[in-house]
Amino acid sequence: NAGVTQTPKFQVLKTGQSMTLQCAQDMNHEYMSWYRQDPGMGLRLIHYSVGAGITDQGEVPNGYNVSRSTTEDFPLRLLSAAPSQTSVYFCASSYDGGLYNEQFFGPGTRLTVL
Amino acid sequence: AQKVTQAQTEISVVEKEDVTLDCVYETRDTTYYLFWYKQPPSGELVFLIRRNSFDEQNEISGRYSWNFQKSTSSFNFTITASQVVDSAVYFCALSVGISSGSARQLTFGSGTQLTVLP
């Protein structure tokens, strides 16, 4: 199993550009989520999905869109990049949305917005 | 609202010393889970342990041990005889249910950077 994969690993954008961060998992997990990691702030939840066709907002959803057309894929779209979106983005998955399930994380995408 | 506090931003120890990472949480939920994750320099977060709110037994796994105390809302992590490979950022996280659905809300602390010097 590849686990959770993310592409790209690094990305530089100009303010106003849009892009999609890709995330895929091959563990048949129902629950997938996106976090951003900023210095001194830990990981903050952007969006999550409890299954194909179902998504919901997390703590910091503004400026991001998600969709979940398949169990495997959960892309994150930046609509109009802003310098405040400079961060490291992690995709994670778990068996389902139960409280007890540990999450499996991807390697992260380091995004810089100029 | 849930909150996880890791007051120690950075800790530096010399190899073979013991080190304890503190985690204090806040929640009004009576059912919850606590987690510790490790983020080595490579960047990927790795799950270490989970503990539910009804199980206050301490746990030991090799050089790692965890002390969960509901009375003080703490879930501390101790590394015995630290090694250079233990150098990483360690995150404590709290998992509670979301009232509007079946998914849980996972709240992370800000992390503790542990550096083990040779």
Side-chain angles (χ1 to χ4, degrees), chain A residues 31 33 35 43 92-94 98-105, chain B residues 6 21 23 33-40 43-50 64 66 75 77 86 88-95 104 106-109 111-112:
Chain A
Y31 185 91
S33 53
Y35 294 87
L43 280 79
S93 74
S94 62
L99 303 187
Y100 43 84
N101 285 316
E102 75 269 26
Q103 299 209 64
F104 295 81
F105 285 85
Chain B
Q6 294 180 256
L21 310 182
C23 172
Y33 279 75
L34 293 159
F35 297 80
W36 276 95
Y37 287 86
K38 175 182 180 179
Q39 185 179 37
E44 198 161 332
L45 282 91
V46 177
F47 164 74
L48 293 177
I49 192 172
R50 126 191 69 226
Y64 296 170
W66 290 269
F75 186 41
F77 174 28
D86 295 327
V89 180
Y90 291 86
F91 290 97
C92 181
L94 169 67
S95 176
R104 47 81 164 87
L106 190 62
T107 301
F108 282 84
T112 297

Side-chain angles (χ1 to χ4, degrees), chain B residues 34-70:
Chain B
L34 293 159
F35 297 80
W36 276 95
Y37 287 86
K38 175 182 180 179
Q39 185 179 37
S42 59
E44 198 161 332
L45 282 91
V46 177
F47 164 74
L48 293 177
I49 192 172
R50 126 191 69 226
R51 176 65 77 233
N52 75 54
S53 52
F54 301 107
D55 181 4
E56 288 194 70
Q57 269 195 329
N58 292 332
E59 179 157 341
I60 298 174
S61 176
R63 296 185 297 106
Y64 296 170
S65 62
W66 290 269
N67 183 311
F68 175 35
Q69 291 192 333
K70 286 181 72 171

Side-chain angles (χ1 to χ4, degrees), chain B residues 66-85:
Chain B
W66 290 269
N67 183 311
F68 175 35
Q69 291 192 333
K70 286 181 72 171
S71 61
T72 57
S73 296
S74 64
F75 186 41
N76 297 336
F77 174 28
T78 297
I79 301 175
T80 303
S82 60
Q83 300 177 359
V84 173
V85 294

